[in-house]
Amino acid sequence: MLMSPITTHVLDTALGRPAEGIAVVLELANPEERWTELAHGLTDADGRIGSLLPDGAILARGTYRLRFATAAYFAALGVSAFYPEVVVLFRIDDPAGHFHLPLLLSPFAYSTYRGS
C-alpha cells in the first residue's frame, strides 16, 4: 500500500483531543543550509495530515523540518500560548522508510517522537 512517506498527527494534550486546523509546512535543507518548501497542509478533524507528499514519493537523504503554526490554533481557542510555532528538525538516512512525526501539544509545552 502506497502512502505519503512523511505523515504527522497533532494531539492537544491540554484538551485531550486532536488539534484540528494547524497549518504545517514540510521543508528540506539544501547544501547551502537554506530551506526549500516541499509541502504544506492543515491538520484534519483527527489532527492528522496523511498526505503531505504524494503517495509513494521518493525522499532524498538529508535534514528536514516540520513547522507547526500553533499561534493561530491557540488564538482560535482564546488561549494565550508560549510557543507561536513548533519546529521539528529530523534527519532521513533511509529514504525508503516511512516517517511519522506526532506532536503532543499544550499551551506551554510540546514533545515529539518518531512514530510508526
Side-chain angles (χ1 to χ4, degrees):
M1 172 173 143
L2 292 178
M3 67 181 335
S4 174
I6 297 175
T7 57
T8 191
H9 184 200
V10 184
L11 295 174
D12 184 326
T13 58
L15 296 177
R17 66 180 188 211
E20 180 179 5
I22 294 182
V24 180
V25 176
L26 172 66
E27 297 170 308
L28 173 64
N30 64 34
E32 292 81 35
E33 297 296 321
R34 297 207 173 142
W35 294 95
T36 300
E37 182 177 322
L38 301 178
H40 60 273
L42 284 174
T43 56
D44 64 17
D46 195 34
R48 297 179 185 274
I49 301 179
S51 58
L52 266 174
L53 296 169
D55 292 350
I58 305 298
L59 298 174
R61 286 180 168 82
T63 301
Y64 291 76
R65 73 181 176 190
L66 283 173
R67 292 188 302 117
F68 298 84
T70 55
Y73 169 77
F74 285 118
L77 295 174
V79 174
S80 176
F82 187 69
Y83 298 103
E85 180 179 64
V86 172
V87 178
V88 178
L89 291 165
F90 58 102
R91 177 147 187 84
I92 293 180
D93 291 321
D94 177 11
H98 174 252
F99 304 90
H100 183 62
L101 293 112
L103 177 66
L104 304 176
L105 182 63
S106 78
F108 297 97
Y110 68 88
S111 65
T112 186
Y113 58 95
R114 180 171 178 191
S116 58

